[in-house]
Amino acid sequence: MTSHVLASPLMDALVRNDYQQKFIAGESKTPQATFSDHVTGKKAVTIQKAKEYVDAIKDSRLNYEAASLFFGTVPVMTGDKYQQNPLALEILQERESRERKELKTSVREALTLSDGNLYLEDRNIIMNYTLEYIDEIVVEVTLLASFAELLGVTVEELIQNRMTYLQTL
């Protein structure tokens, strides 16, 4: 069974939500000593236990970070360089989008070559564009989690509320 150390995301979620370890241990039906070992990184967390923690804490950032660890999905920003509030993230997202769009013409040219072969230069152009796209998406995911936190809901709840509309697309 796959397991990962979830210590930093768990501790950050506890602090963000002002939860005591004892409370979340009880909510997730986990012995306090085991939960403490998970929070300190002494023990890795299974996917089942990570899901129990995410459900108990109801924190979108923790949800994204656990999903990223276990499934390789898009993570949230975890650095301290930028503020994590919606306004700062909106500004950062606009910058990331602009940086990606600056490369778009070169990528389109590389993708439309008549012989269909990607040469090293073309691959580098596409790689740079793709990395800029990842930067933009990570900021957008963080922005989404930040809005959910501001509203006092999880991204999962927002998505459930939006499913009727999304199914019509």
Side-chain angles (χ1 to χ4, degrees), residues 17-130:
N17 294 283
D18 198 29
Y19 283 135
Q20 298 296 314
Q21 288 187 27
K22 182 177 180 179
F23 176 74
I24 297 303
E27 289 292 304
S28 62
K29 298 177 179 56
T30 305
Q32 280 184 263
T34 301
F35 186 71
S36 178
D37 286 346
H38 290 160
V39 171
T40 59
K42 291 179 184 172
K43 288 185 180 176
V45 179
T46 65
I47 190 169
Q48 292 85 358
K49 191 50 72 177
K51 175 69 172 133
E52 290 173 18
Y53 294 155
V54 166
D55 289 345
I57 298 173
K58 293 179 178 49
D59 183 272
S60 293
R61 291 175 195 251
L62 176 60
N63 191 345
Y64 278 118
E65 291 184 69
S68 179
L69 275 174
F70 284 98
F71 300 112
T73 61
V74 178
V76 291
M77 289 175 27
T78 56
D80 293 332
K81 184 174 181 178
Y82 297 100
Q83 294 180 31
Q84 301 277 321
N85 64 61
L87 178 59
L89 292 167
E90 280 277 348
I91 292 168
L92 184 57
Q93 188 280 330
E94 288 171 3
R95 187 190 81 193
E96 293 296 340
S97 179
R98 196 171 40 255
E99 289 174 359
R100 177 185 58 84
K101 288 176 182 173
E102 289 172 0
L103 302 173
K104 196 169 197 165
T105 301
S106 298
V107 166
R108 286 181 170 182
E109 288 175 11
L111 292 173
T112 58
L113 293 174
S114 61
D115 64 2
N117 292 322
L118 291 177
Y119 301 100
L120 182 59
E121 183 180 344
D122 301 321
R123 294 178 69 76
N124 287 337
I125 289 168
I126 294 168
M127 177 63 80
N128 288 337
Y129 179 82
T130 302

